[in-house]
């Protein structure tokens, strides 16, 4: 459903309609200028040949420092999507299941389906601020459960589990012999900053340069995993994409040098944008207070048809994603606030007017 929505918008654009794409989870900020220059420089100096399927050692060493491990635990991937995919692929066989909190990024369930496994959804509630339901989690696990996917902060809700809850989750599943895959794509954009997650037993981490650094199209992410899993990932990398281009890795390495300052700047921007949207939409839509990044996941009143609402928004030039793309949340929609403040303001006013048009 997520990807179908994208196609519908592309065809409207091809027909000449101007659409503000609040449907895409893609930062509008530029990557660090020093990263761009480093990539250009590396390219012109001949860093355009094959490379190691682990990734460049110097980049992996820097990432290892952030995650309290050795470079042997780091594998560079083409975006974190490949990291998530390959880790699920390496841990799940047909008939197994992976437990996933929902609402969730639909790629998890589509990936599981693609190799004949079940994504076992544990539905969370907006009324509880999308906090984890630990009892439901414990009862979702059975002998066929091999993984739990943790995505905190979450796409699409922008809710983050508390560090205490994350710890409880990791311990509950560890006791049951289940591995946690933590997709930390939005962790760098937490409004209340936390350090990068450290590698520990039974925990695998996928992370990316896409969101914090606005480097979506560079296609670079990484996995933080035990050495033997790193080796398996590398074997898979060798028979698939080989390596992330070396000049891209050079740019990413440069981006890390100024990570704290850059992240603080974009975090501030996200907080401001979330503030504008929250102020405009509060009292009209129900939604939880965003704790990170750039998504809101508002709920429409029961009597309103989500697809009709989104079609009317599209007629007004704003694209958003129906909640059904993220699980059993058909009364919700996801809006991505990756636009300048004025556009967010107009979009929110249009949402309110469109809602009122149904009354
Ligand atoms: N995880 C989550 C939760 C995401 O929302 C996305 C992108 N939308 C990704 C991973 C993948 O991002 P990338 O492949 O660009 O690193």
């Amino acid at each position: 459903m997520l990807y179908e929505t994208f196609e519908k918008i592309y065809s409207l654009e091809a027909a000449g309609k101007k659409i503000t794409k609040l449907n895409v989870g893609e930062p509008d900020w530029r990557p660090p200028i020093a990263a761009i220059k480093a990539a250009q420089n590396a390219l012109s100096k001949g860093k355009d040949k094959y490379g190691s399927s682990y990734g460049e050692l110097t980049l992996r060493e820097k990432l290892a420092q952030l995650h309290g491990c050795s470079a042997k635990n780091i594998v560079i991937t083409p975006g974190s999507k490949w990291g998530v995919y390959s880790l699920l692929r390496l841990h799940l066989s047909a008939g197994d299941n992976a437990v996933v909190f929902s609402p969730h990024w639909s790629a998890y369930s589509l990936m599981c389906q693609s190799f004949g496994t079940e994504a076992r959804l544990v539905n969370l509630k907006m009324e509880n601020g999308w906090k984890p339901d630990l009892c439901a989690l414990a009862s979702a696990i059975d002998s066929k459960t091999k993984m739990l996917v943790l995505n905190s902060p979450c796409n699409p809700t922008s809710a983050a589990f508390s560090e205490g809850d994350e710890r409880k989750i990791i311990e509950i599943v560890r006791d049951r012999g289940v591995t946690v895959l933590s997709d930390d794509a939005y962790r760098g954009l937490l409004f209340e900053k936390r350090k990068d997650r450290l590698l520990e037993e039974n925990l695998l981490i996928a992370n990316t340069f896409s969101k914090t650094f606005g480097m979506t199209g560079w296609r670079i992410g990484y996995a933080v995993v035990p050495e033997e899993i790193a080796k398996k990932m590398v074997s898979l990398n060798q028979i698939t994409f080989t390596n992330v281009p070396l000049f891209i890795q050079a740019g990413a390495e440069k981006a890390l040098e100024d990570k704290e300052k850059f992240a603080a700047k974009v975090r501030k921007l996200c907080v401001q944008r979330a503030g504008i949207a929250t102020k405009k939409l509060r009292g009209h839509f129900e939604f939880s207070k965003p704790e990170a990044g750039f998504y809101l996941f508002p709920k429409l009143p029961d009597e309103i048809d989500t697809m009709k609402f989104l079609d009317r928004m599209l007629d007004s030039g704003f694209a958003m994603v129906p909640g059904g793309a993220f699980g059993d949340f058909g009364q919700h929609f996801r809006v991505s606030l990756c636009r300048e403040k004025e556009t967010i303001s107009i979009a929110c006013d249009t949402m309110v007017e469109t809602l009122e048009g149904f009354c």
Side-chain angles (χ1 to χ4, degrees):
M1 201 184 226
L2 180 62
Y3 301 106
E4 285 155 20
T5 317
F6 291 176
E7 292 307 327
K8 189 168 159 187
I9 292 154
Y10 294 139
S11 56
L12 278 173
E13 279 184 320
K17 187 158 173 74
K18 193 179 168 309
I19 308 280
T20 302
K21 290 196 211 113
L22 304 178
N23 58 316
V24 193
E26 179 164 51
D28 56 337
W29 52 85
R30 298 292 302 141
I33 187 76
I36 297 173
K37 283 194 180 141
Q40 285 169 334
N41 197 24
L43 183 56
S44 61
K45 289 204 168 125
K47 284 260 178 205
D48 55 358
K49 302 295 181 196
Y50 289 138
S52 157
S53 293
Y54 271 95
E56 290 287 87
L57 184 60
T58 48
L59 171 60
R60 288 165 53 227
E61 280 170 345
K62 288 203 173 74
L63 292 167
Q65 272 179 18
L66 296 175
H67 293 279
C69 59
S70 139
K72 288 182 184 150
N73 301 113
I74 307 282
V75 181
I76 306 299
T77 57
S80 56
K81 199 180 244 178
W82 181 260
V84 170
Y85 178 85
S86 57
L87 288 169
L88 290 173
R89 184 81 195 84
L90 289 170
H91 284 81
L92 299 171
S93 307
D96 288 341
N97 67 69
V99 172
V100 178
F101 290 112
S102 191
H104 64 287
W105 181 44
S106 55
Y108 304 134
S109 31
L110 296 172
M111 287 174 188
C112 286
Q113 258 172 36
S114 78
F115 24 82
T117 61
E118 180 197 352
R120 186 163 289 178
L121 304 182
V122 172
N123 283 349
L124 304 180
K125 293 194 172 92
M126 183 176 66
E127 306 84 87
N128 299 340
W130 305 112
K131 298 298 172 227
D133 180 341
L134 301 181
C135 293
L137 166 64
S139 50
I141 297 172
D142 65 15
S143 60
K144 290 289 186 185
T145 308
K146 297 287 155 38
M147 289 204 115
L148 166 95
V149 179
L150 180 67
N151 177 220
S152 163
C154 165
N155 171 10
T157 63
S158 286
F161 296 161
S162 70
E163 289 184 279
D165 279 343
E166 287 185 355
R167 180 97 334 257
K168 283 184 201 151
I169 291 168
I170 292 169
E171 275 156 25
I172 289 171
V173 304
R174 180 183 291 157
D175 288 349
R176 306 279 296 268
V178 174
T179 304
V180 177
L181 168 58
S182 186
D183 176 352
D184 287 350
Y186 299 93
R187 189 173 170 102
L189 295 175
L190 264 168
F191 296 168
E192 280 185 28
K193 180 180 177 287
R194 290 184 204 167
K195 289 205 170 115
D196 287 292
R197 206 182 289 281
L198 301 180
L199 181 61
E200 60 175 288
E201 197 198 329
N202 249 45
L203 177 75
L204 315 172
I205 302 165
N207 209 336
T208 182
F209 287 80
S210 290
K211 309 293 176 176
T212 306
F213 293 113
M215 289 166 62
T216 44
W218 293 47
R219 308 310 302 135
I220 180 160
Y222 62 96
V224 188
V225 293
E227 241 181 281
E228 66 279 11
I229 295 174
K231 282 188 192 145
K232 287 186 190 165
M233 285 185 80
V234 167
S235 301
L236 193 54
N237 293 353
Q238 281 162 343
I239 59 166
T240 52
F241 68 92
T242 309
N243 63 279
V244 172
L246 300 180
F247 56 95
I248 297 290
Q249 294 190 57
E253 191 177 331
K254 193 74 189 168
L256 284 181
E257 281 179 19
D258 213 14
K259 180 172 181 271
E260 290 312 318
K261 224 166 123 197
F262 193 83
K265 193 176 80 183
V266 294
R267 203 180 298 131
K268 195 170 158 202
L269 186 67
C270 290
V271 171
Q272 284 170 353
R273 291 171 169 185
I276 294 170
T278 304
K279 209 166 146 195
K280 291 250 171 197
L281 300 181
R282 196 188 286 131
H284 301 283
F285 297 88
E286 282 179 71
F287 56 96
S288 66
K289 190 168 178 278
E291 294 170 287
F294 37 73
Y295 301 119
L296 280 191
F297 197 53
K299 186 170 188 240
L300 287 162
D302 288 342
E303 62 280 11
I304 292 179
D305 182 296
T306 310
M307 293 316 291
K308 279 193 190 143
F309 173 81
L310 292 182
D311 278 344
R312 287 194 198 173
M313 282 298 295
L314 204 50
D315 288 343
S316 305
F318 294 101
M320 300 183 300
V321 188
F326 305 93
D328 193 11
F329 296 89
Q331 272 314 106
H332 290 253
F333 62 95
R334 189 192 74 177
V335 48
S336 170
L337 304 173
C338 288
R339 284 289 179 277
E340 59 285 358
K341 293 174 206 162
E342 297 69 28
T343 308
I344 292 172
S345 190
I346 297 168
C348 291
D349 288 341
T350 310
M351 283 178 227
V352 173
E353 280 159 24
T354 306
L355 180 69
E356 283 167 352
F358 281 91
C359 302

